[in-house]
Coordinates of all heavy atoms in Angstrom, one line a residue:
M3 N 116.4 87.0 80.4 CA 116.8 86.9 81.8 C 118.1 86.0 81.8 O 118.2 85.0 81.2 CB 115.7 86.2 82.6 CG 116.1 85.9 84.1 SD 114.7 85.2 85.0 CE 113.7 86.6 85.4
D4 N 119.1 86.4 82.6 CA 120.3 85.7 82.7 C 120.1 84.4 83.4 O 119.2 84.3 84.3 CB 121.2 86.6 83.7 CG 122.6 86.1 83.8 OD1 122.8 84.9 84.1 OD2 123.6 86.8 83.5
E5 N 120.8 83.3 83.0 CA 120.6 82.0 83.5 C 120.9 81.9 85.0 O 120.2 81.1 85.8 CB 121.4 81.0 82.8 CG 121.1 79.6 83.1 CD 122.0 78.6 82.3 OE1 121.7 78.6 81.0 OE2 122.8 77.9 82.8
A6 N 121.8 82.7 85.5 CA 122.2 82.7 86.9 C 121.2 83.6 87.7 O 121.4 83.6 89.0 CB 123.6 83.2 87.0
M7 N 120.3 84.2 87.1 CA 119.4 85.2 87.8 C 118.1 84.5 88.2 O 117.5 83.8 87.3 CB 119.2 86.4 87.1 CG 118.6 87.5 87.9 SD 117.9 88.8 86.9 CE 116.4 88.2 86.4
L8 N 117.7 84.7 89.4 CA 116.4 84.2 89.8 C 115.7 85.4 90.3 O 116.1 86.5 90.3 CB 116.5 83.2 91.0 CG 117.4 82.0 90.7 CD1 117.7 81.2 91.9 CD2 116.7 81.1 89.6
D9 N 114.4 85.3 90.9 CA 113.8 86.4 91.6 C 114.0 86.2 93.1 O 114.4 85.2 93.5 CB 112.4 86.7 91.1 CG 111.4 85.6 91.5 OD1 111.6 84.9 92.6 OD2 110.4 85.4 90.8
G10 N 113.6 87.2 93.8 CA 113.7 87.3 95.3 C 113.1 86.2 96.0 O 113.4 85.8 97.1
N11 N 112.0 85.5 95.4 CA 111.4 84.4 96.0 C 112.3 83.3 96.3 O 112.1 82.4 97.2 CB 110.2 84.0 95.2 CG 109.1 85.1 95.3 OD1 108.7 85.5 96.3 ND2 108.7 85.6 94.0
A12 N 113.4 83.2 95.5 CA 114.3 82.1 95.5 C 115.0 82.0 96.9 O 115.5 80.9 97.3 CB 115.3 82.1 94.4
V13 N 115.2 83.1 97.5 CA 116.0 83.2 98.8 C 115.1 83.4 100.0 O 115.5 83.8 101.1 CB 117.1 84.2 98.8 CG1 118.2 83.7 97.8 CG2 116.6 85.6 98.4
A14 N 113.8 83.2 99.8 CA 112.8 83.5 100.9 C 113.1 82.6 102.1 O 113.1 83.2 103.3 CB 111.4 83.1 100.4
G15 N 113.6 81.4 102.0 CA 113.9 80.6 103.2 C 115.1 81.1 103.9 O 115.1 81.1 105.2
L16 N 116.1 81.6 103.2 CA 117.2 82.2 103.9 C 116.8 83.4 104.7 O 117.2 83.5 105.9 CB 118.4 82.5 102.9 CG 119.2 81.4 102.3 CD1 120.1 81.9 101.2 CD2 119.9 80.7 103.3
L17 N 116.1 84.2 104.1 CA 115.6 85.5 104.8 C 114.6 85.1 105.9 O 114.7 85.8 107.0 CB 115.0 86.4 103.8 CG 115.9 87.0 102.7 CD1 115.1 87.8 101.6 CD2 116.9 87.9 103.4
Q18 N 113.9 84.1 105.7 CA 112.9 83.7 106.8 C 113.7 83.3 108.0 O 113.1 83.4 109.1 CB 112.0 82.6 106.3 CG 110.7 82.5 107.1 CD 109.7 83.5 106.8 OE1 109.5 83.8 105.7 NE2 109.1 84.1 107.8
D19 N 114.8 82.7 107.9 CA 115.6 82.3 109.1 C 116.0 83.5 109.9 O 116.3 83.4 111.1 CB 116.9 81.7 108.6 CG 116.7 80.2 108.1 OD1 115.6 79.7 108.3 OD2 117.6 79.7 107.4
V20 N 116.1 84.7 109.3 CA 116.6 85.9 110.0 C 115.5 86.8 110.5 O 115.4 87.2 111.6 CB 117.5 86.7 109.1 CG1 118.0 88.0 109.8 CG2 118.7 85.9 108.6
F21 N 114.5 86.9 109.5 CA 113.3 87.9 109.9 C 112.1 87.0 110.2 O 111.8 86.1 109.4 CB 113.1 88.8 108.7 CG 114.2 89.7 108.3 CD1 115.0 89.4 107.2 CD2 114.5 90.8 109.2 CE1 116.0 90.3 106.9 CE2 115.5 91.6 108.8 CZ 116.3 91.4 107.7
A22 N 111.5 87.3 111.2 CA 110.3 86.5 111.6 C 109.0 87.0 111.0 O 108.0 87.1 111.6 CB 110.1 86.5 113.2
V23 N 109.2 87.5 109.7 CA 108.0 87.9 108.9 C 108.1 87.4 107.5 O 109.1 86.8 107.1 CB 108.1 89.5 108.8 CG1 107.9 90.1 110.2 CG2 109.3 90.0 108.1
E24 N 107.0 87.5 106.8 CA 107.0 87.1 105.4 C 107.9 88.0 104.6 O 107.5 89.2 104.4 CB 105.6 87.0 104.8 CG 105.5 86.8 103.4 CD 106.2 85.7 102.9 OE1 106.1 84.5 103.4 OE2 107.0 85.7 101.9
T25 N 109.1 87.6 104.3 CA 110.0 88.5 103.7 C 109.8 89.0 102.3 O 110.2 90.0 101.8 CB 111.4 87.9 103.8 OG1 111.4 86.7 103.2 CG2 111.9 87.8 105.3
T26 N 109.1 88.0 101.5 CA 109.0 88.3 100.1 C 108.0 89.6 99.8 O 108.1 90.2 98.8 CB 108.4 87.1 99.3 OG1 107.2 86.8 99.8 CG2 109.4 86.0 99.3
T27 N 107.2 89.9 100.8 CA 106.3 91.0 100.7 C 106.7 92.3 101.3 O 106.1 93.3 101.2 CB 104.9 90.7 101.0 OG1 104.9 90.2 102.4 CG2 104.3 89.6 100.2
T28 N 107.8 92.2 102.1 CA 108.4 93.3 102.7 C 108.9 94.4 101.6 O 109.4 93.9 100.5 CB 109.6 93.1 103.7 OG1 110.6 92.4 103.0 CG2 109.0 92.3 104.8
I29 N 108.8 95.6 101.8 CA 109.2 96.6 100.8 C 110.5 97.2 101.0 O 110.7 97.8 102.1 CB 108.1 97.7 100.7 CG1 106.7 97.2 100.5 CG2 108.5 98.7 99.6 CD1 106.5 96.4 99.2
A30 N 111.4 97.1 100.1 CA 112.7 97.6 100.3 C 112.8 98.8 99.4 O 112.5 98.7 98.2 CB 113.8 96.6 99.9
T31 N 113.3 99.9 99.8 CA 113.5 101.1 99.0 C 115.0 101.2 98.6 O 115.9 101.1 99.5 CB 113.1 102.4 99.8 OG1 111.8 102.3 100.1 CG2 113.3 103.6 98.9
C32 N 115.2 101.2 97.3 CA 116.6 101.1 96.8 C 117.3 102.4 97.2 O 116.8 103.6 97.0 CB 116.5 101.0 95.3 SG 118.1 101.0 94.4
A33 N 118.6 102.2 97.6 CA 119.5 103.4 97.9 C 120.0 104.1 96.6 O 120.4 105.1 96.7 CB 120.6 102.9 98.8
G34 N 119.9 103.3 95.6 CA 120.5 103.9 94.3 C 119.4 104.7 93.6 O 119.8 105.9 93.3
C35 N 118.2 104.2 93.4 CA 117.3 104.9 92.6 C 116.1 105.4 93.4 O 115.2 106.2 92.9 CB 116.8 104.2 91.4 SG 115.8 102.7 91.7
G36 N 115.9 105.0 94.6 CA 114.8 105.4 95.4 C 113.5 104.6 95.1 O 112.5 104.9 95.8
A37 N 113.5 103.6 94.3 CA 112.3 102.9 94.0 C 112.0 101.9 95.0 O 112.9 101.1 95.5 CB 112.4 102.2 92.6
P38 N 110.7 101.9 95.6 CA 110.3 100.8 96.5 C 109.9 99.5 95.7 O 109.3 99.6 94.6 CB 109.1 101.4 97.2 CG 108.6 102.4 96.2 CD 109.7 102.8 95.3
S39 N 110.3 98.4 96.2 CA 109.8 97.1 95.6 C 109.8 96.0 96.6 O 110.6 96.0 97.6 CB 110.7 96.7 94.5 OG 112.1 96.5 94.8
P40 N 108.9 95.0 96.4 CA 108.8 93.9 97.3 C 110.1 93.1 97.2 O 110.7 93.0 96.1 CB 107.7 93.1 96.8 CG 106.9 94.0 95.9 CD 107.8 95.0 95.4
M41 N 110.6 92.5 98.3 CA 111.8 91.8 98.3 C 111.7 90.6 97.2 O 112.7 90.2 96.6 CB 112.2 91.2 99.6 CG 112.6 92.3 100.6 SD 114.2 93.0 100.3 CE 115.2 91.7 101.0
G42 N 110.5 90.1 97.1 CA 110.3 89.0 96.1 C 110.4 89.4 94.7 O 110.6 88.6 93.8
A43 N 110.5 90.7 94.4 CA 110.6 91.2 93.1 C 112.0 91.5 92.7 O 112.3 91.9 91.5 CB 109.7 92.4 92.9
T44 N 113.0 91.4 93.7 CA 114.3 91.7 93.4 C 114.9 90.7 92.4 O 114.4 89.6 92.3 CB 115.2 91.7 94.7 OG1 115.1 90.5 95.3 CG2 114.8 92.8 95.6
Q45 N 116.1 91.0 91.8 CA 116.7 90.1 90.9 C 117.8 89.5 91.7 O 118.7 90.1 92.2 CB 117.2 90.8 89.7 CG 116.1 91.5 88.8 CD 116.7 92.3 87.7 OE1 117.7 92.8 87.8 NE2 115.8 92.6 86.8
V46 N 117.8 88.1 91.8 CA 118.8 87.4 92.6 C 119.8 86.7 91.7 O 119.5 86.0 90.7 CB 118.1 86.3 93.4 CG1 119.1 85.5 94.3 CG2 117.1 87.0 94.4
Y47 N 121.0 87.0 91.9 CA 122.2 86.4 91.2 C 122.9 85.5 92.1 O 123.2 85.9 93.3 CB 123.1 87.5 90.6 CG 122.5 88.3 89.5 CD1 121.7 89.4 89.8 CD2 122.6 87.9 88.2 CE1 121.1 90.1 88.7 CE2 122.1 88.6 87.1 CZ 121.2 89.7 87.4 OH 120.6 90.3 86.4
R48 N 123.2 84.4 91.6 CA 124.0 83.3 92.4 C 125.4 83.4 92.0 O 125.8 83.5 90.9 CB 123.4 81.9 92.1 CG 122.0 81.7 92.5 CD 121.5 80.3 92.2 NE 121.2 80.3 90.7 CZ 120.8 79.3 90.0 NH1 120.6 78.2 90.6 NH2 120.6 79.4 88.8
G49 N 126.2 83.2 93.1 CA 127.7 83.1 92.8 C 128.2 82.4 94.1 O 127.8 81.3 94.4
A50 N 129.2 83.0 94.8 CA 129.7 82.5 96.1 C 128.5 82.5 97.1 O 128.6 81.9 98.1 CB 130.8 83.3 96.5
G51 N 127.6 83.4 96.9 CA 126.4 83.6 97.7 C 125.3 84.1 96.8 O 125.2 83.7 95.7
F52 N 124.5 85.0 97.3 CA 123.5 85.6 96.5 C 123.5 87.1 96.6 O 123.8 87.6 97.7 CB 122.0 85.2 97.1 CG 121.9 83.6 97.2 CD1 122.2 83.0 98.3 CD2 121.4 83.0 96.0 CE1 122.0 81.5 98.4 CE2 121.3 81.6 96.0 CZ 121.6 80.9 97.2
V53 N 123.2 87.8 95.5 CA 123.1 89.2 95.5 C 121.7 89.6 95.0 O 121.4 89.1 93.9 CB 124.2 89.8 94.6 CG1 124.0 91.3 94.5 CG2 125.6 89.5 95.0
L54 N 121.0 90.3 95.8 CA 119.6 90.8 95.4 C 119.8 92.1 94.9 O 120.2 93.1 95.5 CB 118.7 90.7 96.6 CG 118.2 89.4 97.1 CD1 119.3 88.5 97.7 CD2 117.1 89.5 98.1
R55 N 119.4 92.3 93.6 CA 119.5 93.6 92.9 C 118.2 94.2 92.7 O 117.1 93.5 92.5 CB 120.2 93.3 91.6 CG 121.7 92.9 91.7 CD 122.5 93.0 90.4 NE 123.9 92.7 90.6 CZ 124.8 93.5 91.0 NH1 124.5 94.8 91.1 NH2 126.0 93.1 91.2
C56 N 118.2 95.5 92.6 CA 117.0 96.3 92.4 C 116.4 96.0 91.0 O 117.2 96.0 90.1 CB 117.4 97.8 92.4 SG 116.0 99.0 92.0
P57 N 115.2 95.7 90.9 CA 114.6 95.4 89.5 C 114.6 96.6 88.7 O 114.4 96.5 87.4 CB 113.2 94.9 89.9 CG 112.9 95.5 91.3 CD 114.2 95.6 92.0
R58 N 114.8 97.8 89.2 CA 114.8 99.0 88.3 C 116.1 99.5 87.8 O 116.3 99.7 86.7 CB 114.0 100.2 89.1 CG 113.9 101.4 88.3 CD 113.1 102.4 89.0 NE 113.1 103.7 88.4 CZ 112.9 104.9 89.0 NH1 112.6 104.9 90.2 NH2 113.0 106.0 88.3
C59 N 117.1 99.5 88.8 CA 118.4 100.0 88.4 C 119.6 99.1 88.6 O 120.7 99.4 88.3 CB 118.7 101.3 89.3 SG 119.1 101.1 90.9
E60 N 119.3 97.9 89.1 CA 120.2 96.8 89.4 C 121.3 97.1 90.5 O 122.2 96.4 90.6 CB 121.0 96.4 88.0 CG 120.0 95.9 87.0 CD 120.6 95.4 85.8 OE1 121.9 95.6 85.6 OE2 120.0 94.7 85.0
Q61 N 121.0 98.1 91.3 CA 121.8 98.3 92.5 C 121.8 97.1 93.3 O 120.8 96.5 93.6 CB 121.2 99.5 93.3 CG 121.7 99.6 94.7 CD 123.0 100.3 94.8 OE1 123.4 101.2 94.1 NE2 123.8 99.9 95.8
A62 N 123.0 96.6 93.9 CA 123.0 95.6 94.8 C 122.4 96.0 96.1 O 122.9 96.9 96.8 CB 124.5 95.1 95.0
M63 N 121.2 95.4 96.5 CA 120.5 95.8 97.6 C 120.9 95.0 98.8 O 121.1 95.5 99.9 CB 119.0 95.8 97.3 CG 118.6 96.6 96.2 SD 116.8 96.5 95.8 CE 116.1 97.4 97.1
V64 N 121.0 93.7 98.6 CA 121.3 92.8 99.8 C 122.2 91.7 99.3 O 122.2 91.2 98.2 CB 120.0 92.0 100.2 CG1 120.2 91.0 101.3 CG2 118.9 93.0 100.6
T65 N 123.2 91.3 100.1 CA 124.1 90.1 99.9 C 123.8 89.1 101.0 O 123.6 89.4 102.2 CB 125.5 90.5 99.8 OG1 125.8 91.1 101.1 CG2 125.8 91.5 98.7
L66 N 123.8 87.8 100.6 CA 123.6 86.7 101.5 C 124.7 85.7 101.1 O 124.7 85.2 100.0 CB 122.2 86.1 101.2 CG 121.0 87.0 101.4 CD1 119.7 86.2 101.0 CD2 120.8 87.4 102.9
V67 N 125.5 85.3 102.2 CA 126.5 84.4 101.9 C 126.4 83.3 103.1 O 126.9 83.6 104.2 CB 127.9 85.0 101.9 CG1 129.0 83.9 101.7 CG2 128.0 86.1 100.8
P68 N 125.8 82.2 102.7 CA 125.9 81.1 103.7 C 127.2 80.4 103.7 O 127.7 80.0 102.7 CB 124.8 80.1 103.2 CG 124.4 80.6 101.9 CD 125.1 81.8 101.5
A69 N 127.8 80.2 104.9 CA 129.1 79.6 105.0 C 129.4 79.2 106.5 O 129.1 80.0 107.4 CB 130.3 80.5 104.5
D70 N 129.9 78.0 106.5 CA 130.3 77.5 107.9 C 129.2 77.6 109.0 O 129.5 78.0 110.1 CB 131.6 78.3 108.4 CG 132.8 78.0 107.4 OD1 132.9 77.0 106.8 OD2 133.5 79.0 107.2
G71 N 128.0 77.3 108.6 CA 127.0 77.3 109.6 C 126.5 78.7 109.9 O 125.8 78.8 111.0
R72 N 126.9 79.7 109.2 CA 126.4 81.1 109.4 C 125.9 81.7 108.1 O 126.2 81.2 107.1 CB 127.6 81.9 109.9 CG 128.1 81.5 111.3 CD 129.4 82.3 111.6 NE 130.0 81.7 112.8 CZ 130.2 82.3 113.9 NH1 129.9 83.6 114.0 NH2 130.7 81.8 115.0
L73 N 125.1 82.7 108.3 CA 124.6 83.5 107.1 C 125.1 84.9 107.3 O 124.8 85.6 108.3 CB 123.0 83.5 107.1 CG 122.5 84.2 105.9 CD1 122.9 83.6 104.6 CD2 121.0 84.2 106.0
W74 N 126.0 85.3 106.4 CA 126.6 86.6 106.3 C 125.6 87.5 105.5 O 125.4 87.2 104.4 CB 127.9 86.6 105.7 CG 128.9 85.8 106.6 CD1 129.1 84.4 106.5 CD2 129.8 86.2 107.6 NE1 130.0 84.0 107.4 CE2 130.4 85.0 108.1 CE3 130.0 87.5 108.1 CZ2 131.4 85.1 109.1 CZ3 131.0 87.5 109.2 CH2 131.6 86.4 109.6
I75 N 125.1 88.5 106.1 CA 124.1 89.4 105.4 C 124.6 90.9 105.4 O 125.1 91.4 106.3 CB 122.8 89.5 106.2 CG1 122.3 88.0 106.5 CG2 121.7 90.3 105.5 CD1 121.2 88.0 107.6
G76 N 124.6 91.4 104.1 CA 124.9 92.8 103.9 C 123.7 93.5 103.3 O 123.0 93.0 102.6
F77 N 123.6 94.8 103.7 CA 122.5 95.6 103.1 C 123.2 96.8 102.4 O 122.9 98.0 102.9 CB 121.5 96.0 104.2 CG 120.8 94.9 104.9 CD1 121.3 94.5 106.0 CD2 119.8 94.4 104.2 CE1 120.7 93.4 106.7 CE2 119.1 93.2 104.9 CZ 119.5 92.8 106.1
P78 N 123.9 96.7 101.4 CA 124.6 97.8 100.8 C 123.7 98.8 100.1 O 124.2 99.9 99.8 CB 125.7 97.1 99.9 CG 125.0 95.8 99.5 CD 124.3 95.3 100.7
G79 N 122.6 98.4 99.7 CA 121.8 99.2 98.8 C 120.3 99.3 99.2 O 119.5 99.5 98.4
I80 N 120.1 99.2 100.5 CA 118.6 99.5 100.9 C 118.6 100.8 101.8 O 119.3 100.9 102.8 CB 118.1 98.3 101.8 CG1 117.9 97.1 100.9 CG2 116.8 98.7 102.6 CD1 117.3 95.9 101.7
R81 N 117.8 101.7 101.3 CA 117.6 102.9 102.1 C 116.6 102.7 103.3 O 116.9 103.0 104.4 CB 117.0 104.0 101.1 CG 116.8 105.3 101.9 CD 116.2 106.3 100.9 NE 117.1 106.5 99.7 CZ 116.7 107.1 98.6 NH1 115.5 107.5 98.5 NH2 117.5 107.2 97.6
T82 N 115.5 102.0 103.0 CA 114.6 101.6 104.1 C 114.0 100.3 103.7 O 114.0 99.8 102.6 CB 113.5 102.6 104.3 OG1 112.7 102.7 103.1 CG2 113.9 104.0 104.7
L83 N 113.6 99.6 104.8 CA 112.9 98.3 104.7 C 111.6 98.4 105.5 O 111.6 98.6 106.7 CB 113.8 97.2 105.2 CG 113.3 95.7 105.0 CD1 113.2 95.4 103.6 CD2 114.3 94.8 105.8
Q84 N 110.5 98.2 104.8 CA 109.2 98.3 105.5 C 108.8 96.8 105.8 O 108.6 96.0 105.0 CB 108.1 98.9 104.5 CG 108.4 100.3 104.0 CD 107.3 100.7 103.0 OE1 106.2 100.4 103.2 NE2 107.8 101.3 102.0
V85 N 108.7 96.6 107.1 CA 108.3 95.3 107.7 C 106.9 95.4 108.4 O 106.8 96.3 109.2 CB 109.4 94.8 108.7 CG1 109.0 93.4 109.2 CG2 110.7 94.7 107.9
P86 N 106.0 94.6 108.0 CA 104.7 94.7 108.7 C 104.8 94.3 110.1 O 105.5 93.4 110.5 CB 103.8 93.8 107.9 CG 104.7 92.8 107.2 CD 106.0 93.6 107.0
V87 N 104.1 95.1 111.0 CA 104.1 94.8 112.4 C 102.6 94.9 112.9 O 101.8 95.6 112.3 CB 104.9 95.8 113.3 CG1 106.4 95.6 113.0 CG2 104.5 97.2 113.1
D88 N 102.3 94.1 114.0 CA 101.0 94.2 114.5 C 101.0 95.3 115.6 O 101.5 95.1 116.6 CB 100.6 92.8 115.1 CG 99.2 92.8 115.7 OD1 98.5 93.7 115.5 OD2 98.9 91.8 116.4
D89 N 100.4 96.5 115.2 CA 100.5 97.6 116.1 C 99.1 97.8 116.8 O 98.8 98.9 117.3 CB 101.0 98.9 115.4 CG 100.1 99.2 114.2 OD1 99.1 98.4 113.9 OD2 100.4 100.2 113.6
S90 N 98.3 96.8 116.8 CA 97.0 96.9 117.5 C 97.1 96.7 119.0 O 98.1 96.3 119.5 CB 96.0 95.8 116.9 OG 96.5 94.5 117.1
Ligands
LIG1 ZN1 117.2 101.0 92.3

């Protein structure tokens, strides 16, 4: 494992600020290979921000860049995101 790489659980707090759900267990389907995986299982690389990569094909799925009191979010590689809802 690369020293700069973490798993998706490392950015749970940042994602929790945006989504009012438990983000680490939401299922993201990769736009590159089509594999579904929990956000917590993505590979997170740190740099100017964070890049969450598919654990199967390393497609950049999500980018997070905290700067100047804002969080810049990109979803360049997510086909679908499954978020649990209370539909009762
Ligand atoms: Zn993939």
Side-chain angles (χ1 to χ4, degrees):
M3 180 180 281
D4 187 309
E5 186 174 299
M7 193 193 84
L8 306 169
D9 69 27
N11 293 303
V13 292
L16 285 173
L17 293 171
Q18 196 76 46
D19 287 345
V20 178
F21 299 104
V23 297
E24 172 52 49
T25 57
T26 58
T27 56
T28 58
I29 305 296
T31 300
C32 176
C35 71
S39 61
M41 291 291 277
T44 58
Q45 299 172 341
V46 177
Y47 289 86
R48 295 177 286 181
F52 302 92
V53 177
L54 286 66
R55 293 188 176 275
C56 173
R58 181 174 172 202
C59 75
E60 299 187 347
Q61 163 80 37
M63 298 175 78
V64 179
T65 58
L66 302 170
V67 180
D70 301 325
R72 297 174 188 236
L73 181 62
W74 298 83
I75 306 167
F77 299 99
I80 289 184
R81 184 179 301 163
T82 60
L83 186 62
Q84 299 174 42
V85 178
V87 294
D88 182 7
D89 57 359
S90 58

